[in-house]
Amino acid sequence: AQTVTQSQPEMSVQEAETVTLSCTYDTSESDYYLFWYKQPPSRQMILVIRQEAYKQQNATENRFSVNFQKAAKSFSLKISDSQLGDAAMYFCAYRSLGGGADGLTFGKGTHLIIQP
Amino acid sequence: SAVISQKPSRDICQRGTSLTIQCQVDSQVTMMFWYRQQPGQSLTLIATANQGSEATYESGFVIDKFPISRPNLTFSTLTVSNMSPEDSSIYLCSVKAGGPQETQYFGPGTRLLVL
């Protein structure tokens, strides 16, 4: 079974600064998807960014980018120019590609605090 | 993308009773998922529900406790049966949509408190 590890229970960053959230995973599969989800206090899960394992290029969505290191099984999220609205729980998630196991495996989450 | 609604948004229930949570999607989807998020914890997959077939449950979750219905391609229900305080959680419905993008979208969740 796959596992996802987020080693930082909480991170704090000054507004407008850059922060990196860490995620590692364990799998024997070669093809899969990785995701970062944001869960603000409203509890709504919001997709931040997605990475396909077969793509070497790191995904980018505006201020959000990932550093995907497939050999190291590492998938970190970088948030540039942090804003107060970025404050939330961030979950890293893994999904197998096919084979019927389409649910997501989540890490325990990182609570991101934005200091004004 | 997909817009997902859940009912109820929250409820307080007595132990020993059952609650059925509804999930409605604004488009037809093959796969729907039910997750549980216990207080202060991450999300754990309960089961996968495909229309026209029995739901597939993850280890630690059984049909007698969490029966699921999937009558059509836009709707599903999850019942939490014979509830105990340990069932107090947020229950989230999720769907896979977007064609090749295959992204999972989540509903707003149902916050359940069992007394």
Side-chain angles (χ1 to χ4, degrees), chain B residues 23-83:
Chain B
C23 177
Q24 181 76 51
V25 191
D26 69 340
S27 58
Q28 294 184 339
V29 294
T30 303
M31 286 185 162
M32 297 180 79
F33 308 88
W34 288 98
Y35 290 84
R36 180 176 73 181
Q37 187 175 25
Q38 294 177 302
Q41 302 298 314
S42 185
L43 285 75
T44 301
L45 180 65
I46 297 172
T48 301
N50 291 335
Q51 194 269 336
S53 63
E54 293 289 326
T56 302
Y57 289 82
E58 298 298 305
S59 176
F61 298 96
V62 295
I63 188 171
D64 290 345
K65 177 66 175 178
F66 298 101
I68 289 171
S69 77
R70 183 78 202 275
N72 58 52
L73 292 173
T74 62
F75 188 79
S76 177
T77 67
L78 169 75
T79 298
V80 186
S81 303
N82 188 26
M83 288 184 285

